[in-house]
Amino acid sequence: MSVENPGQRAHDLARRLWPINRSLTGAGVVETLDILGETLSGLTLHKVPTGAELFDWTVPKEWAVKEAYIETPGGEKICDFAQNNLHLVGYSQPMDTTMPLASLQQHLHSLPDQPAAIPYVTSYYGQNWGFCLPDALRQELPEGDYRVCIDCQHFDGHLTYADLVVPGESDDEILFSTYVCHPSMANNELSGPVVAEALAQYVAEAGPRHYTYRFVFVPETLGALAYLSAHLDHLKSRVRAGFVLTCVGDERAWSYMPSRRGGTLADRAVLRACAELVVTPDTYSFLQRGSDERQYCAPGIDLPVCSLMRSKYGTYPEYHTSLDDLDFVTPAGLGQTIDAYARVIDILEANQFPRTLTLGEPQLGKRGLYSNLSKVGSAADAMTMRNLIAYADGSQDLITLADLFDCDVSDLAGLLAQLTQHGVMESKRQPC
């Protein structure tokens, strides 16, 4: 990657995106996508109108917030949306009223087990309102009358998403999908888009690629459904491997969420990359799914999509709280994930099905591929090449053989290139 410190660059981009209020719809999503488009030439925004049917779902009204806060009996402003956009329950209804503390408490959300954290709460499909605050502050609220101000609008508008297609030599595609719908949270939200941006740059800068790469930035769930609704036939016919980028910025863990059926090219490339990087991820069952793999792997859609994450959503205490911040997500964590997915890309690009062209073992010495001086250890020096020849019957790809030989796919690809040059071997992208 040409960027000297891609992890720091990604973290700087996350810091710029941090204050923006994102939700399923609204100006925050558009602003986020516009910023990503500054470095992603060709990123295209698409709009789906309110009321549009997306399979079994419907696009809701657009939501816009001007201001929101609570005023205490003493005149102090608390739960100020302008200070932290997690304070307001997502998609809250407009409100300007005064009420006693007992009535207000029914609309407050806090976490007694995490008294310093502001929880993330939404009500996309019900007419509710509320505020989120640290439990320590909630416990100190005095009796009296409180003014509630929520200056917002719900109106017919659009759901917005974006995509970027980086053409390759083939129409076969690799899909990367991430979401842009959460307010100020770093691992569960911003880590995905900034890693996707870095990977799109990596693909574009690397010169000719076999695969075409499709990068998708959508509001979670509904945006993925919108994208599938518009592109399902194309994706089903073209996508060979896909990945959901979420929770990819911390340094605590590695996590792997397989596709619903498992064993796809995407699954195998991720696991091969982990082996080569000496990373042992916590492996989860698809029964523990929770992000847009739910949509991409749904019955009837069945795209080959999996995820390599850092700390999986729902498993770390900062999840869906204000503690999921830019200290929890680090330049080092982002950089390691960028490196891991770059390795996945390189594996996919190198992967082929090799087939030996000779009957019987080829004579490598006359081709300069094997020492003509036989002595102890000389066979071991060429063992990987000989193993490749022995197993290259056209039915197994380099990922499978790298697993078998315990070596890097790039090493096998280099040997394959030598053997092909000398007429010993050929290869194809599909089983020979």
Side-chain angles (χ1 to χ4, degrees), residues 30-47:
V30 176
E31 183 180 359
T32 298
L33 295 174
D34 284 343
I35 291 173
L36 291 168
E38 291 175 5
T39 54
L40 295 179
S41 176
L43 184 71
T44 303
L45 273 62
H46 307 271
K47 294 182 179 294

Side-chain angles (χ1 to χ4, degrees), residues 82-415:
Q83 297 299 316
N84 191 315
N85 51 36
L86 291 177
H87 276 308
L88 182 63
V89 169
Y91 259 65
S92 281
Q93 298 294 308
M95 188 65 55
D96 190 353
T97 189
T98 301
M99 64 181 64
L101 178 60
S103 298
L104 177 63
Q105 289 283 13
Q106 299 176 38
H107 298 275
L108 298 182
H109 305 271
S110 63
L111 299 170
D113 293 340
Q114 294 175 285
I118 304 170
Y120 169 57
V121 180
T122 64
S123 182
Y124 293 136
Y125 301 105
Q127 293 191 356
N128 297 305
W129 65 271
F131 287 88
C132 303
L133 71 167
D135 195 68
L137 173 60
R138 185 177 184 178
Q139 298 305 320
E140 296 176 353
L141 295 178
E143 294 293 334
D145 290 336
Y146 288 76
R147 183 191 173 203
V148 174
C149 173
I150 304 175
D151 187 355
C152 69
Q153 290 181 301
H154 296 77
F155 56 92
D156 287 344
H158 298 87
L159 176 148
T160 305
Y161 65 83
D163 60 1
L164 168 68
V165 177
V166 183
E169 296 171 348
S170 167
D171 289 335
D172 291 340
E173 293 187 0
I174 306 300
L175 170 69
F176 284 95
S177 180
T178 190
Y179 47 80
V180 287
C181 59
H182 294 74
S184 297
M185 287 180 289
N187 203 39
N188 186 58
E189 170 74 358
L190 293 176
S191 67
V194 299
V195 167
E197 192 272 349
L199 294 175
Q201 297 286 0
Y202 178 67
V203 169
E205 293 169 359
R209 292 280 190 178
H210 171 74
Y211 287 108
T212 291
Y213 287 80
R214 180 176 295 267
F215 292 88
V216 176
F217 301 83
V218 294
E220 192 176 16
T221 303
L222 206 59
L225 290 168
Y227 203 80
L228 288 167
S229 179
H231 301 279
L232 181 58
D233 290 342
H234 177 95
L235 296 175
K236 285 176 70 69
S237 66
R238 297 285 181 84
V239 171
R240 300 294 170 257
F243 310 92
V244 173
L245 297 176
T246 178
C247 297
V248 288
D250 69 286
E251 298 180 53
R252 291 183 189 164
W254 289 93
S255 308
Y256 163 56
M257 171 59 65
S259 61
R260 180 168 64 93
R261 292 178 174 175
T264 69
L265 178 59
D267 293 289
R268 295 168 55 235
V270 160
L271 294 176
R272 184 66 240 157
C274 288
E276 294 182 4
L277 295 169
V278 196
V279 165
T280 304
D282 296 324
T283 299
Y284 292 87
S285 162
F286 194 75
L287 297 173
Q288 297 165 290
R289 65 198 176 277
S291 188
D292 277 337
E293 69 275 359
R294 301 173 359 254
Q295 314 310 327
Y296 293 121
C297 297
I301 294 174
D302 293 312
L303 294 178
V305 172
C306 68
S307 291
L308 178 64
M309 297 169 277
R310 301 309 300 261
S311 294
K312 174 184 173 290
Y313 44 79
T315 66
Y316 56 95
E318 296 86 353
Y319 176 70
H320 272 197
T321 77
S322 58
L323 303 180
D324 184 354
D325 59 19
L326 291 168
D327 291 325
F328 178 52
V329 164
T330 66
L334 291 166
Q336 291 160 7
T337 304
I338 293 167
D339 288 345
Y341 270 107
R343 181 67 65 98
V344 170
I345 290 169
D346 292 345
I347 287 171
L348 291 169
E349 287 292 327
N351 192 45
Q352 298 186 59
F353 288 80
R355 185 169 74 93
T356 301
L357 297 176
T358 62
L359 288 175
E361 187 174 89
Q363 218 284 359
L364 298 178
K366 69 181 183 182
R367 297 176 171 87
L369 298 174
Y370 190 85
S371 174
N372 286 313
L373 182 62
S374 179
K375 60 180 181 178
V376 174
S378 61
D381 293 340
M383 198 63 200
T384 301
M385 179 179 286
R386 296 170 68 193
N387 284 339
L388 177 58
I389 293 167
Y391 280 83
D393 61 4
S395 68
Q396 300 180 99
D397 62 11
L398 294 185
I399 295 175
T400 299
L401 297 178
D403 289 340
L404 180 62
F405 306 156
D406 191 23
C407 67
D408 289 2
V409 169
S410 61
D411 293 337
L412 291 184
L415 294 174

Side-chain angles (χ1 to χ4, degrees), residues 37-98:
E38 291 175 5
T39 54
L40 295 179
S41 176
L43 184 71
T44 303
L45 273 62
H46 307 271
K47 294 182 179 294
V48 184
T50 297
E53 299 295 327
L54 306 174
F55 303 118
D56 199 38
W57 298 65
T58 304
V59 175
K61 290 181 178 294
E62 196 164 326
W63 185 55
V65 182
K66 184 176 181 180
E67 64 175 350
Y69 59 87
I70 299 172
E71 189 175 299
T72 69
E76 179 186 3
K77 186 182 290 187
I78 62 171
C79 298
D80 190 349
F81 177 82
Q83 297 299 316
N84 191 315
N85 51 36
L86 291 177
H87 276 308
L88 182 63
V89 169
Y91 259 65
S92 281
Q93 298 294 308
M95 188 65 55
D96 190 353
T97 189
T98 301

